[in-house]
């Protein structure tokens, strides 16, 4: 398979493309979006301007996809049908991943986000993200099980709905809810924290809960 590298001084809008191996896209002064079906074995997307976003909903990778943005407003939003393998990433703003069509969400390298992060599977699938360094709230929605491991200070769990087992591991404390109105629901709960386990929001666990702090 071949490689494709795109570097543009302004924004990048991807049309329909097929890349056999690695796709690398850099927008030095603008956002990255797609307007047609883009397929690649693996892909890396990078914005160079503070606050520039990456928004992709027609891009499919067989293996890892990576996002790099700068600044608190530099968000990365990715939606696809099928599973998502999140590779080495550094997002200055918020990270949002949605896997439709019974796909899973996993990570294969450290994924850093200064803002919040959300992981959603629709129609089936599960969420396993165990190499996170997310400073903001982490929200998970899945009809399956979810595993979250975070190394960025206190792990904050935002509004979450997990039908199966929700497993949380934090290198510091674990806080359920980023605001008083947040609801964190799960079939069962297993939490391991190096610090305190607290709740600002409301827990709604239908099965058993195991807490280790």
């Amino acid at each position: 398979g071949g490689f494709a590298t795109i570097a543009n001084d302004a924004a990048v809008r991807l049309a329909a493309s097929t890349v056999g191996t690695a796709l690398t896209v850099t927008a030095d002064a603008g956002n990255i979006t797609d307007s047609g079906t883009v397929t690649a074995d693996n892909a890396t997307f990078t914005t160079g301007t503070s606050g520039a976003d990456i928004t992709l909903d027609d891009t499919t990778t067989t293996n890892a996809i990576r996002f790099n943005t700068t600044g608190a407003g530099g968000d990365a939003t990715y939606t696809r049908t099928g599973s998502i393998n999140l590779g080495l990433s550094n997002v200055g703003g918020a990270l949002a991943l949605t896997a439709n069509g019974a796909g899973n969400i996993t990570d294969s390298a450290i994924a850093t986000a200064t803002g919040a992060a959300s992981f959603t599977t629709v129609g089936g699938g599960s969420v396993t993200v165990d190499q996170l360094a997310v400073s903001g709230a982490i929200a998970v929605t899945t009809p399956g099980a979810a595993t979250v491991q975070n190394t960025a200070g206190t792990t904050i769990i935002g509004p979450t709905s997990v039908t199966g087992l929700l497993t949380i591991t934090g290198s510091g404390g674990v806080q359920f809810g980023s605001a008083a109105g947040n609801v964190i629901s799960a079939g069962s709960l297993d939490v391991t924290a190096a610090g305190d386990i607290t709740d600002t929001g409301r827990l709604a666990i239908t099965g058993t809960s195991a807490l280790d702090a």
Side-chain angles (χ1 to χ4, degrees):
F3 297 79
T5 300
I6 299 170
N8 194 31
D9 289 340
V12 173
R13 183 180 182 187
L14 292 170
S17 306
T18 300
V19 179
T21 306
L23 170 64
T24 302
V25 179
T26 302
D28 287 335
N31 303 321
I32 298 176
T33 58
D34 55 5
S35 60
T37 302
V38 179
T39 60
D41 179 75
N42 66 89
T44 302
F45 301 92
T46 302
T47 57
T49 301
S50 180
D53 299 326
I54 300 170
T55 305
L56 304 172
D57 55 14
D58 285 311
T59 295
T60 299
T61 60
T62 305
N63 291 301
I65 188 165
R66 308 168 190 89
F67 306 99
N68 299 288
T69 68
T70 60
D75 301 332
T77 303
Y78 178 47
T79 301
R80 67 159 289 184
T81 299
S83 295
I84 296 173
N85 176 358
L86 179 62
L88 184 66
S89 299
N90 194 332
V91 177
L95 171 66
L97 303 182
T98 300
N100 293 315
N104 302 316
I105 297 177
T106 60
D107 56 3
S108 55
I110 296 171
T112 301
T114 304
S118 65
F119 305 95
T120 303
T121 64
V122 179
S126 62
V127 175
T128 303
V129 281
D130 55 9
Q131 300 184 67
L132 297 179
V134 175
S135 300
I138 301 169
V140 181
T141 302
T142 178
T147 297
V148 175
Q149 185 166 345
N150 188 45
T151 61
T154 298
T155 297
I156 303 170
I157 303 300
T160 288
S161 177
V162 175
T163 302
L165 171 64
L166 173 59
T167 303
I168 306 292
T169 303
S171 62
V174 173
Q175 174 184 320
F176 287 98
S178 56
N182 291 168
V183 176
I184 296 90
S185 65
S188 54
L189 178 66
D190 188 344
V191 183
T192 302
D196 296 335
I197 300 173
T198 60
D199 60 343
T200 299
R202 180 171 66 86
L203 286 170
I205 310 301
T206 57
T208 61
S209 296
L211 307 178
D212 184 1

